[in-house]
Amino acid sequence: MIDPGDLDVTLVDGYVDEPAHFGVPPYISTYPRYTAGGLVDAGVPAEQVTYHTIDELRDDRSKWRDVADADLFVYIGGMTVPGKYVGGTPAEPDEVKEMAWTAEGTSLMGGPVKFGVGDENAGGTETERDDLDFDFVAKGDVEAAAHDLVASGLEGFGNRMRDNEEIDRWAAKGAFVVEQHPNHPEYLICEMETSRGCPYRCSFCTEPLYGNPSFRRPDSVVAEVESLYDRGARHFRLGRQADILAYGGDGEKPNPDALRDLYGGIREVAPDLETLHLDNMNPITVVEWPDLAREGIRVIAEHNTPGDTAAFGLESADPLVQEENNLNVTAEECFRAVKIVNEEAGWRPGEDPDAHRAAIASGEAANDVPTPGPDAANRLPKLLPGINLLHGLKGEREETFEHNKQFLDRVYDAGLTLRRVNIRQVMAFDGTEMSDVGADIARDHKKLFKQYKQEVREEIDNPMLQRVAPAGTVLPDVHLEYHQDGRTFGRQLGTYPLLVGIPGERELGRTVDVAVVDHGYRSVTGVPYPLDVNSASMDELTAIPGLGRQRAGNILVDRPYESPEELADVVDVDLSKFARADASPSKERSGAK
């Protein structure tokens, strides 16, 4: 019998992306943390558990030795929704096979990869189950498989699902893994699980394969946050659930008291957290129980950090597609849910939530920012809905694209605000109804899909983004990630953060506060905030609305300035939202390693 205390274990995170779970950097999913906790619970010393990301292995071939030498090698990965990623690149099947071939000890693969593997991580594709040459594949939960495999002396395990009592132990015991992530601590957001499973059975979704919702207790989630916080984590996202409003209830009906215990508890044990966001919220919950939903949304907006997004799975506004794919919300119901979230949580820090609520309810905010007026705060709204649209579903037709555009037009014309519109093509997985259809419809409509997507970007995304983040909106702590075309790009930590382009090439791995000056389809241009005009570059000055090259040139010629009033006399433009003549340099700090 192998003694667990003698085992050296290597975990490699190939990243995950599921309908209700995200783990591509700067996110770290629950899987590696829970797996590490399961290993420790089975007797493996924490100091003998090594964690790497797939990007680390790509960047440093010497780390493959940890894969080769491990007594037990565990690979975690799997993408069940398509996406484009900036912070990391998910592992491709050939890379996963190479890891299996490299491992000289016992190898175990798990995570959403159990649902299937495609030729690439993209929409409009079909998948099939593949062991990718591993010794063992966890067809249940990888954390349970790792625990049981160690407990058996690496002989085997039964495919089973772990329970919440085990997660109560494993979540805290595995929190140490975050310290081994290359982004720790400044540029890492911990995905938190409040529940998994779903009471609904949409044709394409893998989340119902986990069964009906199973909720963790508030004190369990809070204890996990505390363990992560004690290890330096400051960014958290309640993203691992199908519907945050249903938390602590029967799986469908909102439970505001449970949300109050959850959010209040997190704020108590992590008083200096920097990000507290969520992901999924089911619009049908909002319209079926509007009073309870409003109360729950107010609790969230009271405790979260600005820029939060509640992803609404409308998927299609076409009644035919809704019927054929068991979609649970109509376009009309989704519109009402969008309005309610705008009313209850679309206010900005410093604003009066009651005044905001009254303005939205009365329609006074039509064709304006969520809370209009000269005293509006210069931060992102606390919580806005995002819309998910999925193409290639059963029954899709040319009219489907028009239905979707009409829905988005209606939201915009009503003066309401969406944080983002996510347009994807379906991935077909075994165990879902879409496996019988595959990607045929998506492939047939590829050309139509591309044209429609571009129209949405131009006609909805750009003007909606101007509504979400009007010029002068301040985005604190933008992490600088890469250079392109003479600009530096970065993002805040959070749910669906805005991509920000800043003139000039700045040192990467640092953070800077940014004021928005212009808008793309899904990104913004910004300048460091507050911009010191006595040291600003020509490109930075020209980017400020109203200046242009002539006025920017005048600033350069006549500086330095001793007061804002002196600067105003030169340019005849109000720069108060962007710059100061007497400003100290904008806040810029060291960031991710």
Side-chain angles (χ1 to χ4, degrees):
M1 182 72 174
I2 298 175
D3 183 353
D6 295 332
L7 292 178
D8 287 315
V9 183
T10 295
L11 306 178
V12 170
D13 190 347
Y15 311 144
V16 304
D17 191 357
E18 301 181 85
H21 200 177
F22 198 43
V24 181
Y27 296 84
I28 181 171
S29 73
T30 65
Y31 289 113
R33 292 156 24 210
Y34 292 176
T35 300
L39 292 166
V40 171
D41 197 41
V44 179
E47 60 270 18
Q48 290 169 212
V49 177
T50 299
Y51 168 84
H52 292 310
T53 68
I54 181 62
D55 282 314
E56 285 184 272
L57 296 189
R58 293 175 180 135
D59 294 340
D60 185 353
R61 292 294 301 186
S62 69
K63 292 183 177 180
W64 284 79
R65 178 51 54 188
D66 292 330
V67 174
D69 292 347
D71 299 305
L72 173 61
F73 163 59
V74 183
Y75 170 76
I76 298 166
M79 319 299 287
T80 62
V81 294
K84 294 183 179 179
Y85 312 102
V86 175
T89 302
E92 294 289 351
D94 287 346
E95 293 178 303
V96 182
K97 282 186 179 181
E98 184 180 359
M99 284 184 268
W101 299 335
T102 300
E104 297 172 6
T106 302
S107 60
L108 166 67
M109 178 176 72
V113 69
K114 69 185 179 183
F115 294 125
V117 178
D119 293 332
E120 59 178 338
N121 297 317
T125 59
E126 297 165 354
T127 65
E128 61 181 14
R129 291 188 169 95
D130 191 333
D131 65 12
L132 298 176
D133 296 337
F134 276 71
D135 296 328
F136 295 101
V137 177
K139 296 181 174 64
D141 283 323
V142 64
E143 53 266 46
H147 173 276
D148 295 353
L149 184 59
V150 167
S152 74
L154 302 185
E155 293 296 323
F157 57 88
N159 287 303
R160 70 177 180 91
M161 309 299 280
R162 45 78 172 174
D163 57 37
N164 283 337
E165 287 71 23
E166 288 174 311
I167 295 305
D168 290 345
R169 304 193 306 273
W170 297 352
K173 289 184 176 183
F176 70 91
V177 160
V178 298
E179 296 177 304
Q180 299 184 41
H181 196 287
N183 287 20
H184 180 269
E186 289 91 354
Y187 196 35
L188 187 65
I189 184 166
C190 298
E191 187 85 329
M192 306 301 301
E193 176 182 319
T194 68
S195 69
R196 64 176 184 174
C198 184
Y200 304 104
R201 298 294 183 266
C202 300
S203 67
F204 62 91
C205 189
T206 56
E207 191 61 24
L209 301 180
Y210 289 105
N212 289 323
S214 175
F215 296 99
R216 295 175 64 194
R217 301 189 319 273
D219 62 330
S220 176
V221 180
V222 170
E224 182 181 4
V225 169
E226 185 173 24
S227 296
L228 293 164
Y229 187 83
D230 289 344
R231 287 161 176 81
R234 293 294 181 268
H235 306 274
F236 305 93
R237 189 180 89 140
L238 304 176
R240 183 64 178 108
Q241 72 273 315
D243 181 7
I244 187 65
L245 280 183
Y247 174 71
D250 61 4
E252 299 181 44
K253 185 178 180 180
N255 186 342
D257 289 336
L259 287 171
R260 198 170 283 110
D261 291 342
L262 176 66
Y263 273 86
I266 290 173
R267 279 294 192 172
E268 184 175 344
V269 301
D272 295 320
L273 65 77
E274 297 177 37
T275 304
L276 181 57
H277 279 188
L278 61 89
D279 192 359
N280 296 298
M281 182 184 292
N282 198 329
I284 196 64
T285 307
V286 179
V287 295
E288 289 284 351
W289 295 277
D291 292 338
L292 289 174
R294 286 179 184 274
E295 184 179 352
I297 292 167
R298 291 185 192 186
V299 170
I300 294 169
E302 176 187 355
H303 292 91
N304 73 348
T305 54
D308 202 357
T309 306
F312 277 2
L314 171 61
E315 314 304 353
S316 179
D318 184 344
L320 178 62
V321 176
Q322 292 166 3
E323 181 179 358
E324 293 200 19
N325 294 275
N326 303 316
L327 307 183
N328 60 60
V329 64
T330 67
E332 176 60 34
E333 290 168 331
C334 191
F335 177 84
R336 284 156 43 201
V338 165
K339 189 170 188 289
I340 287 173
V341 174
N342 269 259
E343 289 175 5
E344 300 298 340
W347 49 274
R348 300 170 193 261
E351 293 177 339
D352 182 349
D354 290 333
H356 167 89
R357 192 174 300 117
I360 296 292
S362 67
E364 293 177 7
N367 299 315
D368 210 332
V369 295
T371 302
D375 298 325
N378 65 341
R379 294 292 189 272
L380 290 174
K382 290 300 293 292
L383 175 69
L384 290 173
I387 296 295
N388 294 341
L389 296 172
L390 187 60
H391 288 272
L393 295 173
K394 291 186 293 183
E396 183 175 281
R397 50 193 173 149
E398 188 170 345
E399 292 93 327
T400 302
F401 297 87
E402 288 303 318
H403 279 289
N404 288 350
K405 287 166 59 179
Q406 288 170 10
F407 170 80
L408 296 173
D409 286 339
R410 182 186 179 192
V411 170
Y412 183 79
D413 291 344
L416 302 174
T417 308
L418 301 175
R419 169 57 192 82
R420 64 99 180 97
V421 180
N422 192 7
I423 302 173
R424 303 164 295 155
Q425 286 188 301
V426 71
M427 298 176 74
F429 288 90
D430 286 345
T432 68
E433 290 182 22
M434 278 303 299
S435 64
D436 296 332
V437 179
D440 290 346
I441 297 174
R443 283 192 291 263
D444 290 344
H445 292 171
K446 197 78 171 182
K447 183 177 180 180
L448 186 59
F449 174 79
K450 289 183 177 179
Q451 177 184 343
Y452 142 89
K453 189 172 182 179
Q454 183 63 27
E455 289 175 357
V456 171
R457 296 292 177 245
E458 294 173 355
E459 298 170 14
I460 297 296
D461 282 342
N462 179 267
M464 191 68 79
L465 189 51
Q466 295 181 50
R467 187 174 287 177
V468 172
T473 300
V474 175
L475 307 176
D477 298 321
V478 173
H479 294 254
L480 306 181
E481 296 180 295
Y482 65 94
H483 298 136
Q484 183 177 313
D485 299 330
R487 294 195 292 173
T488 304
F489 288 85
R491 297 174 298 171
Q492 295 176 295
L493 282 174
T495 297
Y496 309 108
L498 287 171
L499 182 64
V500 184
I502 305 170
E505 292 194 353
R506 297 177 168 270
E507 182 181 351
L508 302 181
R510 302 181 70 83
T511 61
V512 59
D513 296 348
V514 171
V516 174
V517 296
D518 200 4
H519 307 81
Y521 298 150
R522 310 192 77 186
S523 63
V524 297
T525 299
V527 294
Y529 177 83
L531 188 66
D532 181 2
V533 297
N534 287 328
S535 61
S537 70
M538 182 67 170
D539 286 342
E540 289 171 337
L541 292 171
T542 304
I544 296 177
L547 277 188
R549 297 196 67 83
Q550 180 64 48
R551 286 190 172 98
N554 292 341
I555 291 175
L556 291 177
V557 170
D558 294 335
R559 67 187 185 186
Y561 303 92
E562 295 183 358
S563 69
E565 291 76 18
E566 183 182 354
L567 175 64
D569 290 342
V570 172
V571 297
D572 193 29
V573 174
D574 181 9
L575 302 182
S576 60
K577 293 182 179 179
F578 312 99
R580 299 288 189 273
D582 55 352
S584 58
S586 61
K587 184 174 61 174
E588 197 164 333
R589 297 166 298 282
S590 296
K593 297 179 180 64

